[in-house]
Amino acid sequence: DIFPVSIHSKPKATIQIDGESKGTTPCSVSVPVGEHKLVLKAKGYYDLKRTFKVYEPNKVYSYRMKQRFYYPTSFYFNAGYHALGYSGLTGNLGACLKNFNFEIGVKYGLSKSETIYWNNLEDFTIPDGYQYTPIHSTLKFGYALTLGNRLRLIPQVGAGILALNGKRVEGNANAVNVDKGYCIPLSAGMRLDIALAPHIAITLNPDYLIPVHTNELYSMVSDVSSKIMSYGSGLGASAGFSFIF
């Protein structure tokens, strides 16, 4: 026997029954009595695969599909705020290619160090006072793990260049030139995306920095300033919004 049945879904989806296309939901089809394999597909949702049994005519089968927020291959950018170690603004641009993650980013420090004074022993002028802010450029690699429906965790490792931008706040403008320093830190951390809606997520990004190289100026100022030392070492974290495509 062949019975008519109706198939409904939320959202509207294309239908395959036993491998044959049957149009889109809502749809009425006639199928033989017995067990059948159903596949529903809709953009932005996981494919729904079910087995349904037909033993009576005019029966209605209704399905709710699961929304999908992350894909193995996607691109994203995010902007946020960095805390711990120093406060500042962050921006990242990245991609997941079959879940392998590549990301470039920059952190622009807003907090200033304490004033550090430099003496010029050649002319014995009034010491110059400098305050320093960090600018951290990063390159990271990771692998994306989707946890449930709305969470995506990406363990990441990477490296970067943290530059000190010094500004003279006291002293003779021609006395010394100690406004540039840099550090090369390695990083280990993670990126956690929490989907709010399709293409939009809150992102949390804690990481730990280990400096592997510093120039002379950076070494000198970090020796006298624990705040500057924390720019390029230890635990940091940022939070912001991501846009995923």
PDB file of all heavy atoms in Angstrom, residues 171-206:
ATOM      1  N   GLY A 171      61.792  66.661  31.341  1.00  0.00           N
ATOM      2  CA  GLY A 171      63.193  66.777  30.985  1.00  0.00           C
ATOM      3  C   GLY A 171      63.444  67.488  29.675  1.00  0.00           C
ATOM      4  O   GLY A 171      62.539  68.047  29.041  1.00  0.00           O
ATOM      5  N   ASN A 172      64.712  67.450  29.236  1.00  0.00           N
ATOM      6  CA  ASN A 172      65.186  68.125  28.040  1.00  0.00           C
ATOM      7  C   ASN A 172      64.915  67.258  26.812  1.00  0.00           C
ATOM      8  O   ASN A 172      65.341  66.105  26.761  1.00  0.00           O
ATOM      9  CB  ASN A 172      66.697  68.390  28.184  1.00  0.00           C
ATOM     10  CG  ASN A 172      67.235  69.216  27.031  1.00  0.00           C
ATOM     11  OD1 ASN A 172      66.669  69.231  25.949  1.00  0.00           O
ATOM     12  ND2 ASN A 172      68.338  69.912  27.290  1.00  0.00           N
ATOM     13  N   ALA A 173      64.259  67.816  25.824  1.00  0.00           N
ATOM     14  CA  ALA A 173      63.868  67.051  24.644  1.00  0.00           C
ATOM     15  C   ALA A 173      65.064  66.534  23.849  1.00  0.00           C
ATOM     16  O   ALA A 173      64.920  65.645  23.027  1.00  0.00           O
ATOM     17  CB  ALA A 173      62.984  67.901  23.735  1.00  0.00           C
ATOM     18  N   ASN A 174      66.245  67.064  24.072  1.00  0.00           N
ATOM     19  CA  ASN A 174      67.417  66.637  23.317  1.00  0.00           C
ATOM     20  C   ASN A 174      68.414  65.839  24.159  1.00  0.00           C
ATOM     21  O   ASN A 174      69.526  65.555  23.725  1.00  0.00           O
ATOM     22  CB  ASN A 174      68.146  67.856  22.731  1.00  0.00           C
ATOM     23  CG  ASN A 174      67.268  68.608  21.737  1.00  0.00           C
ATOM     24  OD1 ASN A 174      66.634  67.992  20.906  1.00  0.00           O
ATOM     25  ND2 ASN A 174      67.248  69.925  21.854  1.00  0.00           N
ATOM     26  N   ALA A 175      68.014  65.474  25.347  1.00  0.00           N
ATOM     27  CA  ALA A 175      68.978  64.875  26.271  1.00  0.00           C
ATOM     28  C   ALA A 175      69.299  63.422  25.923  1.00  0.00           C
ATOM     29  O   ALA A 175      70.449  63.057  25.729  1.00  0.00           O
ATOM     30  CB  ALA A 175      68.464  64.965  27.693  1.00  0.00           C
ATOM     31  N   VAL A 176      68.290  62.560  25.859  1.00  0.00           N
ATOM     32  CA  VAL A 176      68.523  61.147  25.577  1.00  0.00           C
ATOM     33  C   VAL A 176      67.459  60.647  24.607  1.00  0.00           C
ATOM     34  O   VAL A 176      66.443  61.295  24.394  1.00  0.00           O
ATOM     35  CB  VAL A 176      68.480  60.309  26.883  1.00  0.00           C
ATOM     36  CG1 VAL A 176      69.656  60.625  27.777  1.00  0.00           C
ATOM     37  CG2 VAL A 176      67.177  60.514  27.622  1.00  0.00           C
ATOM     38  N   ASN A 177      67.713  59.462  24.038  1.00  0.00           N
ATOM     39  CA  ASN A 177      66.744  58.885  23.107  1.00  0.00           C
ATOM     40  C   ASN A 177      66.501  57.437  23.532  1.00  0.00           C
ATOM     41  O   ASN A 177      67.214  56.530  23.114  1.00  0.00           O
ATOM     42  CB  ASN A 177      67.285  58.950  21.679  1.00  0.00           C
ATOM     43  CG  ASN A 177      66.284  58.420  20.672  1.00  0.00           C
ATOM     44  OD1 ASN A 177      65.082  58.361  20.954  1.00  0.00           O
ATOM     45  ND2 ASN A 177      66.761  58.032  19.506  1.00  0.00           N
ATOM     46  N   VAL A 178      65.522  57.240  24.379  1.00  0.00           N
ATOM     47  CA  VAL A 178      65.232  55.906  24.946  1.00  0.00           C
ATOM     48  C   VAL A 178      63.746  55.610  24.811  1.00  0.00           C
ATOM     49  O   VAL A 178      63.096  55.145  25.741  1.00  0.00           O
ATOM     50  CB  VAL A 178      65.682  55.823  26.422  1.00  0.00           C
ATOM     51  CG1 VAL A 178      67.197  55.778  26.529  1.00  0.00           C
ATOM     52  CG2 VAL A 178      65.118  56.991  27.228  1.00  0.00           C
ATOM     53  N   ASP A 179      63.199  55.882  23.654  1.00  0.00           N
ATOM     54  CA  ASP A 179      61.755  55.733  23.475  1.00  0.00           C
ATOM     55  C   ASP A 179      61.355  54.433  22.784  1.00  0.00           C
ATOM     56  O   ASP A 179      60.172  54.160  22.629  1.00  0.00           O
ATOM     57  CB  ASP A 179      61.191  56.928  22.686  1.00  0.00           C
ATOM     58  CG  ASP A 179      61.838  57.083  21.315  1.00  0.00           C
ATOM     59  OD1 ASP A 179      62.915  56.500  21.100  1.00  0.00           O
ATOM     60  OD2 ASP A 179      61.263  57.808  20.481  1.00  0.00           O
ATOM     61  N   LYS A 180      62.338  53.598  22.356  1.00  0.00           N
ATOM     62  CA  LYS A 180      61.986  52.377  21.632  1.00  0.00           C
ATOM     63  C   LYS A 180      62.617  51.153  22.298  1.00  0.00           C
ATOM     64  O   LYS A 180      63.827  51.105  22.514  1.00  0.00           O
ATOM     65  CB  LYS A 180      62.457  52.448  20.178  1.00  0.00           C
ATOM     66  CG  LYS A 180      61.848  53.595  19.380  1.00  0.00           C
ATOM     67  CD  LYS A 180      60.334  53.464  19.245  1.00  0.00           C
ATOM     68  CE  LYS A 180      59.762  54.608  18.411  1.00  0.00           C
ATOM     69  NZ  LYS A 180      58.282  54.545  18.339  1.00  0.00           N
ATOM     70  N   GLY A 181      61.769  50.176  22.606  1.00  0.00           N
ATOM     71  CA  GLY A 181      62.237  48.898  23.114  1.00  0.00           C
ATOM     72  C   GLY A 181      61.328  47.812  22.585  1.00  0.00           C
ATOM     73  O   GLY A 181      60.202  48.087  22.140  1.00  0.00           O
ATOM     74  N   TYR A 182      61.794  46.575  22.623  1.00  0.00           N
ATOM     75  CA  TYR A 182      60.917  45.509  22.149  1.00  0.00           C
ATOM     76  C   TYR A 182      61.244  44.202  22.859  1.00  0.00           C
ATOM     77  O   TYR A 182      62.334  44.004  23.401  1.00  0.00           O
ATOM     78  CB  TYR A 182      61.010  45.342  20.635  1.00  0.00           C
ATOM     79  CG  TYR A 182      62.297  44.725  20.137  1.00  0.00           C
ATOM     80  CD1 TYR A 182      62.454  43.342  20.048  1.00  0.00           C
ATOM     81  CD2 TYR A 182      63.371  45.529  19.762  1.00  0.00           C
ATOM     82  CE1 TYR A 182      63.631  42.782  19.600  1.00  0.00           C
ATOM     83  CE2 TYR A 182      64.550  44.978  19.318  1.00  0.00           C
ATOM     84  CZ  TYR A 182      64.681  43.596  19.239  1.00  0.00           C
ATOM     85  OH  TYR A 182      65.858  43.035  18.798  1.00  0.00           O
ATOM     86  N   CYS A 183      60.265  43.310  22.809  1.00  0.00           N
ATOM     87  CA  CYS A 183      60.361  41.986  23.401  1.00  0.00           C
ATOM     88  C   CYS A 183      59.696  40.999  22.441  1.00  0.00           C
ATOM     89  O   CYS A 183      58.703  41.338  21.783  1.00  0.00           O
ATOM     90  CB  CYS A 183      59.661  41.978  24.759  1.00  0.00           C
ATOM     91  SG  CYS A 183      59.370  40.348  25.472  1.00  0.00           S
ATOM     92  N   ILE A 184      60.246  39.791  22.339  1.00  0.00           N
ATOM     93  CA  ILE A 184      59.628  38.734  21.536  1.00  0.00           C
ATOM     94  C   ILE A 184      59.142  37.645  22.485  1.00  0.00           C
ATOM     95  O   ILE A 184      59.959  36.877  23.019  1.00  0.00           O
ATOM     96  CB  ILE A 184      60.613  38.149  20.509  1.00  0.00           C
ATOM     97  CG1 ILE A 184      61.058  39.244  19.535  1.00  0.00           C
ATOM     98  CG2 ILE A 184      59.962  36.985  19.745  1.00  0.00           C
ATOM     99  CD1 ILE A 184      62.083  38.783  18.513  1.00  0.00           C
ATOM    100  N   PRO A 185      57.831  37.585  22.741  1.00  0.00           N
ATOM    101  CA  PRO A 185      57.307  36.543  23.624  1.00  0.00           C
ATOM    102  C   PRO A 185      56.639  35.406  22.839  1.00  0.00           C
ATOM    103  O   PRO A 185      56.050  35.622  21.780  1.00  0.00           O
ATOM    104  CB  PRO A 185      56.271  37.299  24.457  1.00  0.00           C
ATOM    105  CG  PRO A 185      55.756  38.361  23.528  1.00  0.00           C
ATOM    106  CD  PRO A 185      56.856  38.663  22.527  1.00  0.00           C
ATOM    107  N   LEU A 186      56.741  34.190  23.381  1.00  0.00           N
ATOM    108  CA  LEU A 186      55.918  33.076  22.923  1.00  0.00           C
ATOM    109  C   LEU A 186      54.633  33.067  23.745  1.00  0.00           C
ATOM    110  O   LEU A 186      54.603  33.542  24.882  1.00  0.00           O
ATOM    111  CB  LEU A 186      56.653  31.751  23.099  1.00  0.00           C
ATOM    112  CG  LEU A 186      57.992  31.609  22.372  1.00  0.00           C
ATOM    113  CD1 LEU A 186      58.592  30.236  22.643  1.00  0.00           C
ATOM    114  CD2 LEU A 186      57.846  31.849  20.885  1.00  0.00           C
ATOM    115  N   SER A 187      53.567  32.507  23.172  1.00  0.00           N
ATOM    116  CA  SER A 187      52.284  32.510  23.877  1.00  0.00           C
ATOM    117  C   SER A 187      51.623  31.142  23.795  1.00  0.00           C
ATOM    118  O   SER A 187      51.788  30.409  22.818  1.00  0.00           O
ATOM    119  CB  SER A 187      51.336  33.574  23.298  1.00  0.00           C
ATOM    120  OG  SER A 187      50.965  33.248  21.969  1.00  0.00           O
ATOM    121  N   ALA A 188      50.878  30.827  24.841  1.00  0.00           N
ATOM    122  CA  ALA A 188      50.042  29.623  24.872  1.00  0.00           C
ATOM    123  C   ALA A 188      48.731  30.016  25.531  1.00  0.00           C
ATOM    124  O   ALA A 188      48.724  30.643  26.592  1.00  0.00           O
ATOM    125  CB  ALA A 188      50.715  28.498  25.645  1.00  0.00           C
ATOM    126  N   GLY A 189      47.628  29.672  24.899  1.00  0.00           N
ATOM    127  CA  GLY A 189      46.338  30.075  25.452  1.00  0.00           C
ATOM    128  C   GLY A 189      45.196  29.436  24.690  1.00  0.00           C
ATOM    129  O   GLY A 189      45.345  28.374  24.076  1.00  0.00           O
ATOM    130  N   MET A 190      44.061  30.109  24.721  1.00  0.00           N
ATOM    131  CA  MET A 190      42.900  29.577  24.018  1.00  0.00           C
ATOM    132  C   MET A 190      41.979  30.716  23.628  1.00  0.00           C
ATOM    133  O   MET A 190      42.048  31.826  24.160  1.00  0.00           O
ATOM    134  CB  MET A 190      42.133  28.576  24.897  1.00  0.00           C
ATOM    135  CG  MET A 190      41.442  29.204  26.090  1.00  0.00           C
ATOM    136  SD  MET A 190      40.454  27.991  26.995  1.00  0.00           S
ATOM    137  CE  MET A 190      39.617  29.068  28.173  1.00  0.00           C
ATOM    138  N   ARG A 191      41.122  30.394  22.679  1.00  0.00           N
ATOM    139  CA  ARG A 191      40.078  31.300  22.233  1.00  0.00           C
ATOM    140  C   ARG A 191      38.751  30.582  22.454  1.00  0.00           C
ATOM    141  O   ARG A 191      38.545  29.478  21.948  1.00  0.00           O
ATOM    142  CB  ARG A 191      40.279  31.628  20.756  1.00  0.00           C
ATOM    143  CG  ARG A 191      39.161  32.459  20.134  1.00  0.00           C
ATOM    144  CD  ARG A 191      39.340  32.547  18.624  1.00  0.00           C
ATOM    145  NE  ARG A 191      38.222  33.246  18.030  1.00  0.00           N
ATOM    146  CZ  ARG A 191      38.180  34.553  17.809  1.00  0.00           C
ATOM    147  NH1 ARG A 191      39.221  35.293  18.100  1.00  0.00           N
ATOM    148  NH2 ARG A 191      37.113  35.120  17.272  1.00  0.00           N
ATOM    149  N   LEU A 192      37.858  31.198  23.209  1.00  0.00           N
ATOM    150  CA  LEU A 192      36.540  30.617  23.465  1.00  0.00           C
ATOM    151  C   LEU A 192      35.477  31.524  22.871  1.00  0.00           C
ATOM    152  O   LEU A 192      35.334  32.684  23.275  1.00  0.00           O
ATOM    153  CB  LEU A 192      36.303  30.463  24.971  1.00  0.00           C
ATOM    154  CG  LEU A 192      34.932  29.897  25.376  1.00  0.00           C
ATOM    155  CD1 LEU A 192      34.757  28.475  24.845  1.00  0.00           C
ATOM    156  CD2 LEU A 192      34.751  29.927  26.890  1.00  0.00           C
ATOM    157  N   ASP A 193      34.751  30.993  21.881  1.00  0.00           N
ATOM    158  CA  ASP A 193      33.648  31.729  21.246  1.00  0.00           C
ATOM    159  C   ASP A 193      32.321  31.236  21.807  1.00  0.00           C
ATOM    160  O   ASP A 193      32.082  30.025  21.882  1.00  0.00           O
ATOM    161  CB  ASP A 193      33.668  31.515  19.735  1.00  0.00           C
ATOM    162  CG  ASP A 193      34.891  32.120  19.067  1.00  0.00           C
ATOM    163  OD1 ASP A 193      35.271  33.239  19.463  1.00  0.00           O
ATOM    164  OD2 ASP A 193      35.453  31.485  18.158  1.00  0.00           O
ATOM    165  N   ILE A 194      31.463  32.177  22.172  1.00  0.00           N
ATOM    166  CA  ILE A 194      30.125  31.877  22.681  1.00  0.00           C
ATOM    167  C   ILE A 194      29.125  32.550  21.748  1.00  0.00           C
ATOM    168  O   ILE A 194      28.988  33.778  21.754  1.00  0.00           O
ATOM    169  CB  ILE A 194      29.939  32.379  24.129  1.00  0.00           C
ATOM    170  CG1 ILE A 194      31.058  31.845  25.027  1.00  0.00           C
ATOM    171  CG2 ILE A 194      28.573  31.981  24.668  1.00  0.00           C
ATOM    172  CD1 ILE A 194      31.102  32.497  26.395  1.00  0.00           C
ATOM    173  N   ALA A 195      28.453  31.761  20.919  1.00  0.00           N
ATOM    174  CA  ALA A 195      27.574  32.315  19.885  1.00  0.00           C
ATOM    175  C   ALA A 195      26.342  32.964  20.510  1.00  0.00           C
ATOM    176  O   ALA A 195      25.659  32.373  21.337  1.00  0.00           O
ATOM    177  CB  ALA A 195      27.152  31.230  18.911  1.00  0.00           C
ATOM    178  N   LEU A 196      26.078  34.195  20.095  1.00  0.00           N
ATOM    179  CA  LEU A 196      24.859  34.903  20.488  1.00  0.00           C
ATOM    180  C   LEU A 196      23.777  34.773  19.419  1.00  0.00           C
ATOM    181  O   LEU A 196      22.582  34.718  19.728  1.00  0.00           O
ATOM    182  CB  LEU A 196      25.158  36.380  20.730  1.00  0.00           C
ATOM    183  CG  LEU A 196      26.192  36.709  21.801  1.00  0.00           C
ATOM    184  CD1 LEU A 196      26.407  38.210  21.861  1.00  0.00           C
ATOM    185  CD2 LEU A 196      25.751  36.177  23.160  1.00  0.00           C
ATOM    186  N   ALA A 197      24.217  34.744  18.192  1.00  0.00           N
ATOM    187  CA  ALA A 197      23.332  34.658  17.025  1.00  0.00           C
ATOM    188  C   ALA A 197      24.200  34.201  15.855  1.00  0.00           C
ATOM    189  O   ALA A 197      25.428  34.166  15.980  1.00  0.00           O
ATOM    190  CB  ALA A 197      22.689  36.019  16.739  1.00  0.00           C
ATOM    191  N   PRO A 198      23.593  33.826  14.734  1.00  0.00           N
ATOM    192  CA  PRO A 198      24.428  33.477  13.581  1.00  0.00           C
ATOM    193  C   PRO A 198      25.400  34.600  13.239  1.00  0.00           C
ATOM    194  O   PRO A 198      25.010  35.766  13.157  1.00  0.00           O
ATOM    195  CB  PRO A 198      23.404  33.272  12.465  1.00  0.00           C
ATOM    196  CG  PRO A 198      22.156  32.846  13.178  1.00  0.00           C
ATOM    197  CD  PRO A 198      22.156  33.635  14.459  1.00  0.00           C
ATOM    198  N   HIS A 199      26.678  34.274  13.124  1.00  0.00           N
ATOM    199  CA  HIS A 199      27.757  35.187  12.740  1.00  0.00           C
ATOM    200  C   HIS A 199      28.226  36.116  13.864  1.00  0.00           C
ATOM    201  O   HIS A 199      29.150  36.901  13.642  1.00  0.00           O
ATOM    202  CB  HIS A 199      27.374  36.035  11.515  1.00  0.00           C
ATOM    203  CG  HIS A 199      26.849  35.240  10.366  1.00  0.00           C
ATOM    204  ND1 HIS A 199      27.595  34.270   9.721  1.00  0.00           N
ATOM    205  CD2 HIS A 199      25.644  35.254   9.748  1.00  0.00           C
ATOM    206  CE1 HIS A 199      26.881  33.735   8.750  1.00  0.00           C
ATOM    207  NE2 HIS A 199      25.688  34.305   8.754  1.00  0.00           N
ATOM    208  N   ILE A 200      27.641  36.058  15.056  1.00  0.00           N
ATOM    209  CA  ILE A 200      28.031  36.966  16.143  1.00  0.00           C
ATOM    210  C   ILE A 200      28.307  36.150  17.399  1.00  0.00           C
ATOM    211  O   ILE A 200      27.490  35.311  17.795  1.00  0.00           O
ATOM    212  CB  ILE A 200      26.949  38.018  16.431  1.00  0.00           C
ATOM    213  CG1 ILE A 200      26.647  38.844  15.174  1.00  0.00           C
ATOM    214  CG2 ILE A 200      27.383  38.941  17.565  1.00  0.00           C
ATOM    215  CD1 ILE A 200      25.501  39.820  15.342  1.00  0.00           C
ATOM    216  N   ALA A 201      29.454  36.416  18.038  1.00  0.00           N
ATOM    217  CA  ALA A 201      29.816  35.674  19.246  1.00  0.00           C
ATOM    218  C   ALA A 201      30.563  36.573  20.215  1.00  0.00           C
ATOM    219  O   ALA A 201      31.209  37.554  19.815  1.00  0.00           O
ATOM    220  CB  ALA A 201      30.680  34.464  18.903  1.00  0.00           C
ATOM    221  N   ILE A 202      30.452  36.263  21.500  1.00  0.00           N
ATOM    222  CA  ILE A 202      31.340  36.828  22.507  1.00  0.00           C
ATOM    223  C   ILE A 202      32.601  35.971  22.528  1.00  0.00           C
ATOM    224  O   ILE A 202      32.521  34.740  22.499  1.00  0.00           O
ATOM    225  CB  ILE A 202      30.675  36.835  23.888  1.00  0.00           C
ATOM    226  CG1 ILE A 202      29.508  37.817  23.910  1.00  0.00           C
ATOM    227  CG2 ILE A 202      31.688  37.191  24.981  1.00  0.00           C
ATOM    228  CD1 ILE A 202      28.736  37.809  25.216  1.00  0.00           C
ATOM    229  N   THR A 203      33.758  36.610  22.564  1.00  0.00           N
ATOM    230  CA  THR A 203      35.021  35.879  22.551  1.00  0.00           C
ATOM    231  C   THR A 203      35.835  36.186  23.801  1.00  0.00           C
ATOM    232  O   THR A 203      36.039  37.357  24.147  1.00  0.00           O
ATOM    233  CB  THR A 203      35.848  36.232  21.303  1.00  0.00           C
ATOM    234  OG1 THR A 203      35.128  35.822  20.136  1.00  0.00           O
ATOM    235  CG2 THR A 203      37.195  35.528  21.317  1.00  0.00           C
ATOM    236  N   LEU A 204      36.295  35.140  24.483  1.00  0.00           N
ATOM    237  CA  LEU A 204      37.206  35.246  25.621  1.00  0.00           C
ATOM    238  C   LEU A 204      38.547  34.650  25.191  1.00  0.00           C
ATOM    239  O   LEU A 204      38.585  33.578  24.596  1.00  0.00           O
ATOM    240  CB  LEU A 204      36.655  34.496  26.829  1.00  0.00           C
ATOM    241  CG  LEU A 204      35.233  34.873  27.270  1.00  0.00           C
ATOM    242  CD1 LEU A 204      34.789  33.993  28.432  1.00  0.00           C
ATOM    243  CD2 LEU A 204      35.147  36.338  27.641  1.00  0.00           C
ATOM    244  N   ASN A 205      39.631  35.356  25.509  1.00  0.00           N
ATOM    245  CA  ASN A 205      40.935  34.941  24.991  1.00  0.00           C
ATOM    246  C   ASN A 205      42.029  35.095  26.053  1.00  0.00           C
ATOM    247  O   ASN A 205      42.798  36.049  26.025  1.00  0.00           O
ATOM    248  CB  ASN A 205      41.269  35.757  23.746  1.00  0.00           C
ATOM    249  CG  ASN A 205      42.474  35.251  22.986  1.00  0.00           C
ATOM    250  OD1 ASN A 205      42.973  35.928  22.107  1.00  0.00           O
ATOM    251  ND2 ASN A 205      42.963  34.065  23.317  1.00  0.00           N
ATOM    252  N   PRO A 206      42.122  34.144  27.004  1.00  0.00           N
ATOM    253  CA  PRO A 206      43.244  34.177  27.945  1.00  0.00           C
ATOM    254  C   PRO A 206      44.496  33.560  27.316  1.00  0.00           C
ATOM    255  O   PRO A 206      44.404  32.637  26.505  1.00  0.00           O
ATOM    256  CB  PRO A 206      42.741  33.324  29.116  1.00  0.00           C
ATOM    257  CG  PRO A 206      41.806  32.358  28.480  1.00  0.00           C
ATOM    258  CD  PRO A 206      41.160  33.079  27.321  1.00  0.00           C
TER     259      PRO A 206
END
